[in-house]
Every structure is written in structure tokens, then in C-alpha cells.
Amino acid sequence: MPDTSHQYSNGYRDSQSSTNNHLLTDIEQLSIIAGQNLAESELANLNISIPPSDFNLEECWYKAKLFEAATKRAEEEAQKARGLNEEKRQLKTQRQELEEQSLQLNREKDQLQRTKAELYHKQRELQERELNAEAGFIEQNRGALAQLENQTQGLRQELEHFYKTISQERQVLIAEIEQKRVQVNQEIAAERQEIEAHSNQTSEERRLLRLEYRRVESERQLLEEDKQALEEKIEQRTAVKVETLQTKIRVLEQQLEKSRELQKLLETQLIQRLEANRKFGQKTPEEVLETLDILGREKAELEQTLASRLSESAGTRLQELEFQKEEWETERFRLSSRLQELERSITYNRIAVTDLETLRDEKEALEASNNRLRAALNELKAQVNEAVAQSQERSPFPECFRMDGDTRLQTEIPLCENIPDLNEFARDLRYRIALSPIEQEKRLYYSERDVRAFLGGLAMSHLHLLQGISGTGKTSLPVAFARAVGGEYKLVEVQAGWRDRQDIIGYYNAFEGRFYESDFLKAIYEAQCPANRQRIYIIILDEMNLSRPEQYFADFLSKLEQDSPTIGLTTDLDKPSPKLFQNGNILPIPPNVWFVGTANQDETTLELADKTYDRSHIMEVQRNRESFDIPGQPYPRHPISYQALMTSFRNAQRQYADNASRAYQFLNETLADFLERRFKVGWGNRLERQIKDFVPVVIAAGGSLGEATDHILATKILRKIRDRHDTPTSDLRQLKEDLLQYWSMLDGQTEPEQSLFIIDTEIRRLEPGED
């Protein structure tokens, strides 16, 4: 009988060994995840000195609870791993028990073999006895033989029954062990899936916490910048307030001088009043009036008395009295007028005295305020002097100087130094661009032609123009490209009031001894720090045509075509400058930087000049783009180095140089003369250089010669015939006919779609209703 128990024991041991190896692998992965969680928790405990203005305590508490839950989940996963270890030990114990049972079965089998041998030996003895038996013993031997045969038959049946019992028990045991093994494997697989799910969820929560930390750190930096700007505004407003108060003090002093003059006038009037009172015997006006009334009554009585005496003397006296009466009446009227005038003067004097007292109080308050302001002004002067003294030792470029001490920017990172196949790189880049946003439900679907054109533009020019209506993804394309290749980008929002280079790079304040660095200037400096100098760096000029780039970007339009462009900056050469500056005030423009401008086409924007178009790579970004299937998550890799990208461009330009020459020859020999004669459109050596740089890269990235030439023709040449009102449609139709006729000489597999679209659009514009 074959030893199936031994074979099963070996198979079970191998299965358990494989299962244990998987368990150990899962436990090691769980330990690694726990270690990562610990590192992320240490990162999350970084101190943030200044909370943002929109700091939400509930949101922070909620996120802390999320992190605590993630930590507890990691502990539970570790506990489950320990439980799996315990189950492993139990399985090992069961395996030992099964091995012992197997050994017991082997021992019983050996015992049965020995019993069988003894029975066989006894059977041989009986046969010998039968052969040796003689007459006289035959009946006795037959009876003994029958008895022995019965015993042998019973033993055989017992042996067969024992064999069947052992076989049945072995099958039941094997079935139970197999069922237990399947159940344990299922439980292990379920636990492994649950651990992987928890691990993915923990990684996602850790990634979200990392993003939240970066956002909070960014807001903290913004708050510090706002705080600095607020302090500058406070200093300016304090100076204005001091000047205003000083002016107010001068005005009040003038009012005080006028009040003093008015006081002197009132004192003069008061002296005159006192003199008048003295003349009237220090009588009050009422007393003077009463005296006049008495005199009047006396005069009336005298008149009545004289009326009865008509003597000459009486008449004379009467005339004298009447004359005196008239004088008294005149004097009385004069005194009454004077009295009223004095009363008004007294009223005015009282008001003036009140105003004078008020002015005196205000003067005292203003003098106290002036003293405080003078003390504050002295303090501010001291602070200004101290700041000026410190500024003599401080760099005029504080942000660039800070980058020199930033460990993150001063530490180089590992890079991908090789792009073996530009076609495969373009396809992979398209998938990575589609998956680049943080929001997983959002996808950026750009066509293969757009991706090839963008790569060719990188090889052709360091200035890109992405045109189209609002909302077509012009800004998203360079952002997604930078993320997909592991590079960096900086978004600079162009303002409508920009007129010169100071608006884009900043300006130097000679009084403060500081250069106010713009985001654009800081991005150029950051791009050449050790952490970024070999990485691809994109500076995005958002809504570039809100102002005229021929004005604020004029220096760069010419410098970008130079071999080693630099920017000259106004500064104090006696102060320390950042270490990447040349001669203290010259900042190089690193070759790993590309400037990508987005241009909306609406009534709020300006038309770009040919000077800008001729030096740029131009792309029209369409609104509707077809979606496509993404074959899973792309494999992780290091950021693409600038040198690797440029090397792949140079290799493509060497390999497909003949194709570029064919493209230029086609444009020069088939279309140049007609475009020059009928449309006054021509080109020079710059276009030839751009074709030699652009066309080979598009072909190496999976495109065709016709696709690359069509893009150059549409964006560089036919763009200039747009929106003209003096163009005959017959010339446009002739141009279309010539283009279709000669195009097969260049590429018989494709058609010049972009160029034909421009020509057809112009024909429809000039002849509405015509196709």
C-alpha cells in the first residue's frame, strides 16, 4: 500500500512554507507602512509660528482626528499581523500534531505487517504439520487445522476491517486538513486584501495630510509677506499722519494769532466803553435814560410854567430850553445807539472769550498731542536710522538671498538622465499629463498632435504663446507638463497696467536700499538654484496680452535669442549680493527656463505684434478634445533632467535633418513667391532655424513631416493673412489650390488641416455664405 500520508505531509509542509513566506512578506510591508506613518507624523508635527487669517479650528481638529484614526488603523493592522503570527504558530502546532499522527499510523502499519508475518509463519507451520502428519493423527490434525483456518479467516477479516477503518480515518483527516488549509488560505488572502486596502487608504490620507501641510505652509508665507507689506503701509501712513497733524497745528496757530488780534480789538473797545461811562459819571445806560426822562418831565413842567409867563426873558429862556431839549434828545439818541452798540460788543466779547478759552484748551491738547507725535517721530527716526544702518549690511535682494540659505533649494535631487525613445516618451507624457491633476476625477485630455507640437516648441524656442478662448486649458497644459516631467513651474499673472520692465521684474528703492523682487524675478533665480538647475522650469505669464509684451517684456524678446542671456539690475554694489549674481547686479537667465504666455482672444485683450509672434512657438488650444483610455498608472521615475531632454532633441535633429531641409525647401520653392507677390508675406533666416529645430522633434515623437510643416505654415506664415480686408478671395482660392496641388510632393499621407482651416475661414469671412 503506498505511503500517501508521507506524501501528503510533504505537500502540506510545502504549502505551509509558501503561506508562511507570504505572511512574512505581508508583515514586512506592514512594518514599512508603519515606519512611513511614523515619518509622516513627525513631518506633521512641524511648528508653524503664524496661523493663517482663515485658520479653521474645527477643520484642523477634524484633520487631526483623521490622522489619529490613520495611526490607530496602522496599530490595528500591526495587531492583525501579530494575530496572523499567532495563527501561523497554531498552524505549525497542528502540522506537528499531524506529523505525530502520521508517525503513529506508520507504527500501526508496521505492527500490522509484523502480525501478518506471524500469521504467515503460523500458516507455514500448519502446512508442515500437515505434511508430517501420519495415520492415527489425521482426524486430530483435521480438527486442529479447521480450527486454525477459522482463526486465520477471522484474523484476515479483522485485518481487512482494520485497514478499511484506517483508510477511512485517513481520508476524513485528509479532507479536514485540506478544508482547514483552504479556509486558512482564504482568511489569509482576505486579511492581505484588507491590509492592502487599509495601506492604500492610509497612504492616501497621508498624502492629503502632506498636501494640507504644504498649503498651510504656503499660507503662512503669504501671511508673513502680508505682515511685511502692512508694516510698510503703517510706516507710510504714520508719516502722512504726522505731516497732517503738523499742518493742522500750523493752522491752529494762525487761528490763535487771529484770536489774539480780535482780543486786542475787544480790549480797545472795552477801554472806550469805560471812558464813556466815566464821562457819564459811571452811570449805567438805564440811569442815563432815567435822568433824561426826569429832565424831560422837568422841561415839560417848565414849559407849562413858562406858558403862563409870556415875558421876553421867558420866551428867551423857553427858546434856550427848547434848544437844550433838542440837544438832549440828540444826545439821548446818540447814547441809546451807543448803548446798543456796546451791548452787541459785550455779547461779541463774551463769545470771543469763550472761543478764546476753547482755542486755549485746544492749543494745550494739540501741544500735548504734538509732544507725543514729536516723541513718536523721534522714535521713528531712530528706528529708520537703525533700519538704514542695518540695511547697509543687508542684501538689496532679500528673497534671492533667502534662497541661498534654503536647504531644499540648495540640495540636488536624483534625476532621470536618459530618454531612449522620444516617441515612447511622448506617449507616456500624454498619459501622465492626463493624470497629473490632484483631483482624480478630473482628466486633461490633449491629443497626441498637441503633445508633439508642445515638445517641438520646447526645442524651437524658449517663448511659447498658447492662444484660444477662455476655458480651453491654456494654463493647464504647461502646468500639467511640468508635473508630468517632474519639473517646477511658477504662475505670474500679468496686469493690465504694465508698461515697462520694472512691472515684471521689480524695482530698486534707493531710500530703503532694497530691490522689490517680483514673482517673475524670484522664479528666474529659483530656477538656477542647485535643486532646479538641471530640472525643467516653466514660467507661465497668464493672460500675457492684457498689456503689450513688446513693452514690459521687450528686454527678454531680444535676449532669449542670445547664447547666454542676462538681466542687468539697478542696485547698491557696496552691499552683499546673492551668490548666483554676476558682478553684483547681473542675473543670468538659465537655459532650463521656458516662458509660456497664455493669450485670450476677447475684447479685454490686446493684439500681439509680429515681433512677438516671430520669436515664439504658437499653439491654438481648442475647446473640445476627445477623451482616451489610460492604461493604468504610469510607473514611478525620477524627474526628467534638462540635459536629457535637450540631448533627445539634438539626437532627433541630427537623425531627421534631411526632413527639416525638405520642409523648408517646400515652403521656399512652392509658396514663397506667391505669398510675397499677392499677400506681401515673407520670412527670413529665423524661420529656417526654427524649422530645423521643430520638424525633427515632431517626427521623432511619432508625427509626420506633413504634420510638422502644416503647423509651421499655419502658425508662422498664414497667420499673417488673417483679418485683412483688402485680400481678394480669388488669391485665397489660388493659394488653397496650389497648396493642395503641391502638398503630395511633401507628404502624400496627410493633409495640411490647420493651413486649410485658416484659408477657408478667411474665404467665409470675406464672402459670407460661400463655402
Side-chain angles (χ1 to χ4, degrees), residues 47-57 59-60 63 212-227:
N47 185 25
I48 300 176
S49 59
I50 301 176
S53 59
D54 56 350
F55 179 74
N56 191 327
L57 182 60
E59 182 181 356
C60 182
K63 291 177 180 176
E212 182 64 19
Y213 168 74
R214 293 174 182 172
R215 185 185 67 80
V216 172
E217 180 66 17
S218 176
E219 291 178 353
R220 183 183 68 81
Q221 294 177 357
L222 290 176
L223 283 175
E224 290 179 353
E225 294 177 358
D226 292 342
K227 179 182 176 182

Side-chain angles (χ1 to χ4, degrees), residues 674 679 728-739 759 763-764 767 770-771:
F674 183 76
F679 297 96
T729 55
S730 59
D731 291 345
L732 292 172
R733 296 182 189 279
Q734 183 64 42
L735 175 62
K736 179 179 179 180
E737 182 180 347
D738 292 347
L739 183 60
I759 297 174
I763 293 175
R764 287 193 298 270
E767 293 183 355
E770 295 290 335
D771 292 335

Side-chain angles (χ1 to χ4, degrees), residues 656-710:
Y656 299 101
D658 293 341
N659 297 75
S661 299
R662 285 182 57 199
Y664 182 74
Q665 183 179 3
F666 170 79
L667 296 176
N668 210 35
E669 293 180 358
T670 61
L671 300 177
D673 182 64
F674 183 76
L675 288 170
E676 176 67 27
R677 285 187 296 102
R678 305 304 301 170
F679 297 96
K680 305 301 181 185
V681 173
W683 55 81
N685 296 332
R686 180 185 288 116
L687 181 64
E688 182 180 4
R689 177 185 58 79
Q690 291 174 344
I691 290 176
K692 291 182 178 179
D693 291 339
F694 177 82
V695 172
V697 174
V698 173
I699 297 175
S704 64
L705 176 59
E707 174 187 328
T709 308
D710 180 32

Side-chain angles (χ1 to χ4, degrees), residues 475-487:
T475 304
S476 301
L477 176 58
V479 172
F481 172 79
R483 291 174 176 169
V485 300

Side-chain angles (χ1 to χ4, degrees), residues 4-226:
T4 58
S5 63
H6 182 66
Q7 295 176 357
Y8 173 76
S9 176
N10 292 334
Y12 178 78
R13 188 179 298 109
D14 295 338
S15 175
Q16 287 298 108
S17 176
S18 175
T19 304
N20 293 339
N21 291 334
H22 287 300
L23 286 173
L24 291 174
T25 303
D26 293 341
I27 292 171
E28 291 173 357
Q29 292 177 354
L30 187 62
S31 301
I32 294 172
I33 293 172
Q36 292 175 351
N37 288 335
L38 180 60
E40 295 299 330
S41 65
E42 293 174 353
L43 288 175
N45 288 331
L46 292 175
N47 185 25
I48 300 176
S49 59
I50 301 176
S53 59
D54 56 350
F55 179 74
N56 191 327
L57 182 60
E58 294 181 358
E59 182 181 356
C60 182
W61 176 256
Y62 173 71
K63 291 177 180 176
K65 285 297 183 181
L66 285 179
F67 184 77
E68 182 180 358
T71 306
K72 289 183 179 179
R73 187 176 292 110
E75 294 177 354
E76 292 174 359
E77 292 171 357
Q79 185 67 27
K80 289 181 181 179
R82 289 193 291 271
L84 291 175
N85 289 333
E86 183 64 26
E87 290 183 1
K88 183 184 75 171
R89 288 193 293 272
Q90 293 177 0
L91 290 174
K92 185 176 181 181
T93 304
Q94 292 178 0
R95 184 181 66 182
Q96 293 175 355
E97 293 176 355
L98 290 174
E99 290 177 351
E100 291 177 357
Q101 291 178 2
S102 177
L103 293 174
Q104 182 66 25
L105 289 173
N106 290 331
R107 286 194 293 269
E108 291 178 356
K109 178 183 176 183
D110 294 339
Q111 182 65 29
L112 288 174
Q113 292 290 340
R114 286 193 296 271
T115 304
K116 183 178 179 181
E118 290 177 357
L119 290 173
Y120 179 76
H121 181 68
K122 289 180 179 181
Q123 185 178 7
R124 291 292 301 272
E125 288 180 351
L126 288 174
Q127 290 177 355
E128 290 176 358
R129 288 179 182 180
E130 288 178 354
L131 294 174
N132 295 328
E134 292 179 354
F137 297 99
I138 294 175
E139 294 296 332
Q140 182 179 0
N141 290 337
R142 285 179 179 176
L145 182 60
Q147 184 178 3
L148 288 173
E149 287 179 353
N150 292 332
Q151 292 178 355
T152 302
Q153 187 67 24
L155 289 173
R156 286 176 178 173
Q157 293 177 353
E158 183 178 357
L159 180 62
E160 291 176 358
H161 177 71
F162 186 72
Y163 277 147
K164 290 180 179 179
T165 303
I166 291 175
S167 177
Q168 291 175 356
E169 290 178 353
R170 180 180 297 168
Q171 292 177 357
V172 171
L173 184 60
I174 291 173
E176 291 179 354
I177 292 173
E178 181 66 20
Q179 183 178 4
K180 183 66 174 177
R181 185 182 65 81
V182 172
Q183 182 179 0
V184 169
N185 289 336
Q186 292 177 351
E187 291 177 354
I188 292 173
E191 291 291 338
R192 183 183 293 112
Q193 292 177 356
E194 184 177 358
I195 290 173
E196 290 177 353
H198 289 170
S199 173
N200 295 333
Q201 185 176 2
T202 304
S203 300
E204 179 65 18
E205 292 174 353
R206 184 168 61 252
R207 184 180 65 81
L208 293 175
L209 288 174
R210 261 199 315 270
L211 293 174
E212 182 64 19
Y213 168 74
R214 293 174 182 172
R215 185 185 67 80
V216 172
E217 180 66 17
S218 176
E219 291 178 353
R220 183 183 68 81
Q221 294 177 357
L222 290 176
L223 283 175
E224 290 179 353
E225 294 177 358
D226 292 342

Side-chain angles (χ1 to χ4, degrees), residues 86 105 124 157 162 197 207-208 261 264 266 384 416 432 450 508 665 712 726 756 764:
E86 183 64 26
L105 289 173
R124 291 292 301 272
Q157 293 177 353
F162 186 72
R207 184 180 65 81
L208 293 175
E261 293 177 356
K264 291 179 180 179
L266 293 175
V384 169
C416 177
R432 291 177 185 269
D450 288 339
Y508 179 69
Q665 183 179 3
I712 290 291
D726 57 347
L756 292 176
R764 287 193 298 270

